[in-house]
């Protein structure tokens, strides 16, 4: 595995363009990333680059994480989605697992650990001596097609009663399990993001030691010194979703710009690029994309700077980041719609990069993490209707 320097992570992703393009169709066919792509991610160090230094990473800034994710999604939606699934998953486990858990999961495997899964608490963990007896079913475990460990969100239960950390706020934990303790259901037959290996899975009364669990909203790292480790998994995940949508949309805007020079529509003797309506539409959507990107960089950069200075990660800062992710996603989807429409029949050929990106966009933007509920929660904080929403 190549040693990675901070500031070079996005370059590692850019170096994979040719391979990812060549493997994209095969990843869709087998419904998970190909071994060639996964191996190259390990060879370059990309798969562990977001980790704390103790787990083989470089703890990049939010700006570098965003640049990396945009690049990965620009290359291919599935490749980008795995980037926003596996990289934050290993980042969180490496930062927040207690020492014994870190040693068992990371140190024992020389930090070559791929982790994916579903963090929403769809399971229940009955508290027992030393840990939990975990059961539950999880859907869309992104990136687990090639993961050695699987994360599973759950509610701790004490004698059959839910555990609460504050009034109205239940305790929510994440368990990290070896793959052979999880029953994986390969039901990943979907419209888009076909190459992500986002399988459903089930866990039936499996003991998970306390040291292989961490709180879902933890912001106090055991290891790592970057502001991101003190901001928690939610902001990192939000930055990932925003970046992914921007990357896929950029691929479609770039591709339709290239196509426009040679694209002629039936009964129209002028190339697409010479049509004023296309020119106006391109200007509008490229400007909208750039504005959304700048909003994302500003929102996450402002929060990162505050935490780096020792300030509190306030509900307002968290709301700003989540709204930026929702807005970027909405803007990216609008750009994709326009690019698909003006590309005409060039956009509908099955298996083309353009057609795949369009399917991926409309699959990825269905995710609840960037839903209108998130924007509503954030607006209520801005309006003073509520003081906080713990899920932001």
């Amino acid at each position: 595995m190549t040693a990675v320097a901070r500031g070079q992570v996005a370059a590692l992703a850019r170096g994979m363009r040719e391979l990812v393009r060549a493997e994209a169709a095969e990843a869709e066919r087998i419904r998970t990333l190909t071994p060639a792509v996964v191996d190259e991610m390990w060879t370059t160090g990309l798969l562990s680059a977001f980790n704390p230094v103790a787990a083989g990473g470089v703890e990049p800034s939010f700006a570098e994480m965003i640049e990396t994710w945009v690049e990965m999604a620009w290359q291919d939606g599935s490749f980008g989605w795995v980037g926003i699934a596996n990289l934050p998953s290993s980042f969180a486990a490496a930062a927040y697992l207690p020492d014994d858990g870190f040693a068992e999961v990371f140190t024992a495997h020389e930090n070559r650990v791929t982790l994916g899964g579903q963090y929403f608490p769809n399971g229940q963990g009955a508290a027992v001596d030393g840990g939990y007896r975990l059961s539950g079913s999880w859907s869309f475990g992104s990136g687990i097609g090639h993961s050695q460990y699987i994360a599973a969100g759950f509610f701790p239960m004490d004698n059959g009663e839910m555990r609460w950390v504050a009034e109205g706020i239940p305790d929510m934990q994440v368990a990290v399990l070896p793959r052979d303790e999880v029953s994986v259901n390969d039901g990943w037959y979907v419209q888009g993001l076909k190459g992500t290996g986002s399988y459903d899975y089930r866990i039936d009364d499996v003991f998970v030691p306390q040291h292989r669990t961490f709180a879902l909203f933890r912001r106090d790292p055991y290891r790592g010194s970057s502001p991101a480790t003190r901001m928690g998994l939610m902001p990192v995940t939000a930055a990932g979703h925003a970046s992914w949508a921007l990357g896929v949309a950029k691929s479609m805007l770039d591709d339709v710009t290239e196509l426009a020079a040679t694209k002629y529509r039936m009964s129209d003797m002028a190339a697409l690029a010479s049509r004023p309506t296309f020119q106006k539409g391109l200007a509008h959507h490229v400007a909208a994309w750039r504005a959304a990107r700048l909003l994302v960089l500003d929102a996450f950069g402002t929060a990162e700077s505050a935490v780096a200075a020792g300030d509190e990660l306030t509900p307002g800062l968290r709301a700003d980041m989540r709204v930026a992710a929702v807005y970027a996603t909405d803007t990216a989807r609008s750009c994709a719609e326009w690019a698909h429409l003006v590309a005409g029949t060039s956009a509908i050929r099955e298996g083309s990069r353009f057609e795949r990106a369009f399917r991926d966009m409309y699959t990825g933007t269905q995710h609840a993490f960037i839903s209108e509920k998130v924007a509503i929660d954030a607006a209520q904080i801005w309006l003073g209707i509520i003081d906080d929403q713990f899920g932001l």
Side-chain angles (χ1 to χ4, degrees):
M1 186 170 64
T2 303
V4 182
R6 192 171 186 183
Q8 297 180 352
V9 182
L12 300 180
R14 280 193 293 274
M16 294 187 63
R17 284 187 174 187
E18 185 176 339
L19 176 63
V20 170
R21 181 185 288 267
E23 296 288 313
E26 178 63 7
E28 287 225 323
R29 188 188 70 80
I30 64 175
R31 290 170 295 106
T32 190
L33 285 192
T34 65
V37 171
V38 176
D39 288 347
E40 185 64 13
M41 292 175 76
W42 276 119
T43 298
T44 61
L46 180 59
L47 257 177
S48 57
F50 286 19
N51 288 357
V53 172
V58 297
E59 304 184 32
S61 66
F62 268 97
E64 188 171 10
M65 287 191 280
I66 289 164
E67 182 184 4
T68 302
W69 280 320
V70 168
E71 169 64 30
M72 293 176 74
W74 180 90
Q75 294 179 32
D76 175 65
S78 289
F79 181 53
W81 194 264
V82 164
I84 71 168
N86 290 146
L87 273 60
S89 292
S90 60
F91 154 87
Y96 305 126
L97 281 176
D99 288 345
D100 287 349
F102 178 79
E104 183 179 335
V105 175
F106 287 90
T107 307
H109 299 95
E110 299 181 337
N111 295 326
R112 190 182 174 98
V113 176
T114 310
L115 178 67
Q118 167 62 258
Y119 286 79
F120 191 81
N122 283 332
Q124 292 188 351
V128 295
D129 186 28
Y132 304 92
R133 304 294 309 188
L134 180 61
S135 296
S137 296
W138 293 260
S139 298
F140 308 132
S142 296
I144 67 173
H146 54 273
S147 294
Q148 296 86 34
Y149 278 85
I150 295 178
F154 71 97
F155 291 113
M157 307 294 287
D158 296 313
N159 299 316
E161 299 292 331
M162 187 173 289
R163 184 183 299 170
W164 300 88
V165 295
E167 184 177 355
I169 304 176
D171 189 9
M172 287 175 270
Q173 297 281 326
V174 178
V176 177
L177 297 91
R179 187 185 186 89
D180 60 9
E181 294 182 358
V182 177
S183 299
V184 176
N185 171 26
D186 180 7
W188 188 238
Y189 294 90
V190 286
Q191 177 187 31
L193 296 178
K194 292 185 177 182
T196 60
S198 300
Y199 308 141
D200 298 343
Y201 56 101
R202 191 182 75 253
I203 298 169
D204 298 311
D205 193 32
V206 172
F207 175 72
V208 181
Q210 180 79 36
H211 64 250
R212 268 200 278 113
T213 66
F214 61 90
L216 177 59
F217 299 113
R218 187 181 179 96
R219 299 189 198 121
D220 180 20
Y222 286 102
R223 53 208 71 78
S225 59
S226 70
T229 63
R230 302 195 302 278
M231 293 167 70
L233 184 57
M234 296 302 108
V236 175
T237 301
H241 277 277
S243 306
W244 177 86
L246 288 170
V248 175
K250 188 175 191 299
S251 79
M252 297 182 72
L253 290 172
D254 288 350
D255 287 358
V256 81
T257 301
E258 182 179 348
L259 174 69
T262 57
K263 175 72 177 179
Y264 291 80
R265 302 297 295 266
M266 188 177 296
S267 302
D268 189 346
M269 298 306 295
L272 185 60
S274 67
R275 294 170 58 185
T277 53
F278 174 80
Q279 295 164 0
K280 178 180 182 297
L282 181 66
H284 172 80
H285 288 92
V286 169
W289 185 93
R290 292 176 180 176
R293 174 182 174 273
L294 289 173
L295 173 64
V296 170
L297 289 170
D298 177 71
F300 287 89
T302 297
E304 181 181 39
S305 296
V307 172
D311 296 336
E312 180 188 357
L313 186 64
T314 63
L317 288 171
R318 287 166 32 232
D320 289 350
M321 288 186 285
R322 293 298 295 274
V323 167
V326 172
Y327 180 80
T329 300
D330 290 345
T331 301
R333 184 169 49 236
S334 177
C335 291
E337 286 177 351
W338 175 81
H340 186 269
L341 178 63
V342 297
T345 54
S346 299
I348 65 173
R349 295 202 177 272
E350 187 175 3
S352 70
R353 170 177 154 92
F354 213 109
E355 182 263 350
R356 185 172 63 248
F358 188 72
R359 287 189 287 106
D360 289 344
M361 178 64 78
Y362 272 85
T363 300
T365 56
Q366 295 288 352
H367 202 287
F369 203 83
I370 34 80
S371 70
E372 65 176 11
K373 172 65 164 59
V374 176
I376 292 168
D377 288 342
Q380 289 183 349
I381 289 174
W382 293 342
L383 291 165
I385 296 172
I386 59 175
D387 293 330
D388 196 2
Q389 166 47 259
F390 67 87
L392 288 176

